[in-house]
Amino acid sequence: MMYHSTRDKSVRVSAAQAIAQGISKEGGLFVPVELPLFDMMKLMRYESMGYASRAQDILAAFLTDFSADELRECVHSAYGTHRFDHERIAPIFPLGDTMRLLELWHGPTCAFKDMALQLLPHLLTRAVKKTMGGKHTAILVATSGDTGKAALDGFADVPDTSILVFYPHGGVSEVQRLQMATQKGNNTTVVAVRGNFDDTQTAVKKIFTNHDMNKMLADKGMVFSSANSINWGRLVPQIVYYISAYCDMAGAGDIQMGEKINICVPTGNFGNILAAYYAKHMGLPVNMLICASNVNKVLSDFIETGVYDRRREFVLTSSPSMDILISSNLERLLFALCGEDDKMVADMMGSLTQTGVYTIPDAAREKLQSEFAGGFCDEQKTGETIRGIFELHGYLCDTHTAVAVDVHRQYMERTGDKTKTLIASTANPYKFAAGILPVFERAAPGASEFAQIRRLREISGMEVPEQLLELEGKDIRFDTVCGADEMESAVRQALKK
Ligand SMILES: *Cc1c(COP(=O)(O)O)cnc(C)c1O
């Protein structure tokens, strides 16, 4: 299977090249020239398989230049029970008749990013060996909080890699900050950036395509790559869990094999929901894809109007991993919606950079609206939803998941559609304890993050993952703060080590 770029279809690369490179030279994103198709027979065969075996089979359809042995090694290293604290890897929790929470946070860093980032280092190091003869790879990451830690955990002390993570200063939860600032490993660097996530992500993308930086790297015998969801190697593992969850639902008799479901995803950079879109277009029986935003609702407005307009206030919320106004992966969807017109995509992306806005053609908007529904949930509703779910089901969900649950409820009220819906539950609630505790009671004045975590545990009775409690006593290794314009020199500095 070959991949081409959303901004230049004449660029053709193998899967290994796409993963090793991360982003195409002209700034476009790699997408498969054709999606593999899955039939019901295949899904039925998956019913009796475990998560790792399903993953291996799905990856094989996309990563055709990896051998079966390589893929087996990769998935077994990634999805062993020593890395995930649940034997099913991504279990489903039913919430009433229609909602099915797909818990994607049983990995080492307690957010869904682990689902892909436990696997990516194994794929990436092999991909670099295949395509570049094993150069040292410098992985640059922009994070709204969860990707950073998951990537650090995945890449720490992986031979022949360095990893640099940039996160918005003051724009992540305290647990997220501590997870990154205390990261171990000789090849890791973490820097806070004065600015928001969009500033950080834009600066990282610029470094990837900056000629001087690439030359400096080449002189050292190194290459850049990305662990953000612009890297195709992040998206394929995310396709796996939607297919796998569908097979679990069918296997448990919750749905008939072949019955259509909806999928609702709390969305920021549009990676997670895009994976669901690809799963659907590979033949997974899915009807609507419901895109849930917090008050940074650039995406739900886009779905409603066909106009993408980031010229608005950037708001910090209790669901910080969705505080994003420039959703990178939307570019891949636009490419599909606009009949794979690479020039049109390049123009729209240019317009977004220059003016902050673009409009898709009517035909593309109609296609978009036939497959996607959007909605948003504000801070107050997020809190009410967490409380409502707890009172009704005795279940504590995180702020991001709550946004999705509320948007799904709004969708049901608006449309009367009672189709069973898989809702991506993207983080363990204790990552955002300070955002959740006030839903139940006012925090004691001056209470530390960990005091709030313990109080939330008393209220909910839900266990706190060991790795979050352990953060309390750990030493801070990284406390550098820089401006977006200083990120280049931070990269140079880190690569000197
Ligand atoms: C990253 C993240 C999201 C948003 O996912 P995208 O793929 O960026 O749309 C939602 N919730 C949590 C907890 C996250 O970490």
Side-chain angles (χ1 to χ4, degrees), residues 3 6 35 46 61 67 93 97 110 128 164 185 187 230 235 246 271 284 315-316 328 352 354 390 405 434 437 463 473:
Y3 294 77
T6 50
L35 283 176
Y46 282 175
S67 71
F93 186 90
D97 291 337
C110 307
V128 171
L164 272 89
N187 62 341
I230 54 175
L235 285 177
Y246 184 92
L284 193 70
V315 185
L316 292 176
S328 289
L352 182 64
Q354 275 143 36
F390 186 73
V405 169
L437 185 58
E463 234 180 282

Side-chain angles (χ1 to χ4, degrees), residues 97-115:
D97 291 337
T98 47
M99 291 190 249
R100 302 289 176 265
L101 294 186
L102 176 58
E103 294 181 351
L104 299 171
W105 38 261
H106 288 277
T109 77
C110 307
F112 91 88
K113 306 299 197 290
D114 287 326
M115 299 301 298

Side-chain angles (χ1 to χ4, degrees), residues 29 112-113 141-145 147 197-198 200-202 205 226-231 234-235 238 265-275 291-293 296 298-299 308 319-333 352 400:
L29 306 184
F112 91 88
K113 306 299 197 290
V141 178
T143 181
S144 57
T147 292
F197 173 72
D198 291 329
T200 311
Q201 175 165 250
T202 303
K205 276 198 189 170
S226 167
N228 281 104
S229 51
I230 54 175
N231 192 320
R234 273 281 301 275
L235 285 177
Q238 296 186 180
V265 183
T267 299
N269 228 350
F270 210 77
N272 204 1
I273 195 166
L274 183 72
C291 173
S293 303
N296 294 294
V298 64
L299 283 167
Y308 193 95
S319 44
S321 302
M322 296 156 69
D323 292 344
I324 295 177
L325 293 178
I326 306 175
S327 278
S328 289
N329 273 295
L330 191 62
E331 178 167 346
R332 288 187 163 111
L333 180 68
L352 182 64
H400 305 74

Side-chain angles (χ1 to χ4, degrees), residues 251-269:
D254 192 21
I255 51 169
Q256 298 291 318
M257 180 52 80
E259 181 180 336
K260 283 195 172 169
I261 61 167
N262 291 338
I263 297 178
C264 178
V265 183
T267 299
N269 228 350

Side-chain angles (χ1 to χ4, degrees), residues 214-255:
N214 278 288
K215 175 149 188 333
M216 182 270 292
L217 237 64
D219 292 345
K220 288 174 180 283
M222 297 184 182
V223 286
F224 277 135
S225 191
S226 167
N228 281 104
S229 51
I230 54 175
N231 192 320
W232 181 254
R234 273 281 301 275
L235 285 177
V236 198
Q238 296 186 180
I239 295 171
V240 172
Y241 50 72
Y242 291 113
I243 296 175
S244 177
Y246 184 92
C247 295
D248 283 345
M249 285 171 76
D254 192 21
I255 51 169

